[in-house]
Amino acid sequence: MPLAAEIGAKNIAIVTGDDPGPEKWADGIEALYESLCEIAETAKVYKINLLLEPLDRFAHKKRIIGTTDETVELLTRVQKTSNNVGIAFDTAHAALNGEDIFEALEIGKDLIHQIHFSNAVLDKKSDLYGDFHMEIGEPGFLTVEKISAILQKAQELDIQAEDGLRVAVEVRGKLNKENCMKNETNLKNILSDALQDLIVQ
């Protein structure tokens, strides 16, 4: 936290631990709640927001917090002592949890601080099923048009209207300089095209 503050970070995002199973779920949530309260209190000292990124519970990552409604319920409790908490919303995890992205945005609108556009194959029979940070487009569910529609919905819901909504496109490229540069250019173009569609509408 001190190092993050030193470099000027305003947000720190974390993920939760594994789902311990139905019999230990309530205890796990309570332990998570207490941890989040402690971390958020420390973050307040450094004027940093603590963001929780819900991962999927059912498909791939199998974490204790998955769906947006669960995340909102938990963070609403934390907000009673610390108002510097929010959600780093990831489209792939929401989709893998079986959520409708647009409904999830409505549920989380007051807590969402940023959106990660991440693609996934939702067909459970596919070898690509899961959270692999794949390229945008088919065979995944996330296309440029879908990104634009999600941004449109975020705008309609006034998500982070005052501070500006931060967005990122998560695609894991091959680990060499040439491919990383191509990946970066491609993702810039994807966001540019999605924003252009938004402006045209």
Side-chain angles (χ1 to χ4, degrees):
M1 202 75 74
L3 290 173
E6 189 176 325
I7 63 170
K10 299 298 179 191
N11 301 280
I12 289 179
I14 62 173
V15 297
T16 66
D18 295 337
D19 182 358
E23 67 285 350
K24 296 182 179 178
W25 195 82
D27 289 340
I29 288 294
E30 208 54 36
L32 175 59
Y33 162 73
E34 291 173 9
S35 294
L36 289 173
C37 287
E38 288 181 26
I39 298 168
E41 279 298 310
T42 301
K44 261 201 289 194
V45 173
Y46 296 98
K47 297 182 171 61
I48 289 175
N49 293 315
L50 173 65
L51 306 184
L52 184 61
E53 179 172 346
L55 304 187
D56 58 87
R57 171 169 315 123
F58 315 106
H60 189 179
K61 298 297 170 61
K62 296 182 170 61
R63 300 303 176 97
I64 189 168
I65 283 293
T67 57
T68 305
D69 57 347
E70 291 172 353
T71 309
V72 168
E73 183 180 347
L74 177 63
L75 291 183
T76 299
R77 287 179 65 197
V78 178
Q79 275 188 318
K80 291 176 182 175
T81 56
S82 300
N83 62 358
N84 60 326
V85 293
I87 298 172
F89 183 85
D90 187 294
T91 56
H93 294 300
L96 287 166
N97 277 324
E99 297 182 81
D100 178 283
I101 301 293
F102 303 104
E103 289 177 7
L105 289 173
E106 288 191 32
I107 292 168
K109 64 181 181 179
D110 295 330
L111 280 164
I112 292 172
H113 281 233
Q114 59 193 44
I115 296 177
H116 302 162
F117 289 110
S118 187
N119 198 12
V121 170
L122 305 180
D123 179 4
K124 294 179 181 179
K125 296 177 183 176
S126 171
D127 291 339
L128 296 174
Y129 177 66
D131 176 43
F132 295 107
H133 296 92
M134 61 186 293
E135 291 183 4
I136 303 302
E138 296 181 350
F141 79 96
L142 192 65
T143 62
V144 173
E145 294 76 21
K146 186 92 169 187
I147 290 174
S148 186
I150 291 168
L151 288 171
Q152 176 72 41
K153 184 68 173 179
Q155 187 176 54
E156 289 171 8
L157 294 170
D158 289 331
I159 296 176
Q160 290 296 311
E162 287 185 21
D163 300 322
L165 177 63
R166 290 180 306 282
V167 300
V169 183
E170 291 185 277
V171 174
R172 186 174 294 138
K174 293 181 180 176
L175 295 178
N176 65 62
K177 187 174 181 180
E178 182 181 352
N179 279 317
C180 285
M181 295 304 291
K182 284 181 181 177
N183 195 37
E184 181 184 1
T185 301
N186 184 42
L187 298 184
K188 282 182 180 178
N189 290 338
I190 285 169
L191 272 181
S192 179
D193 290 346
L195 288 167
Q196 186 60 45
D197 287 347
L198 186 65
I199 293 166
V200 169
Q201 290 175 10

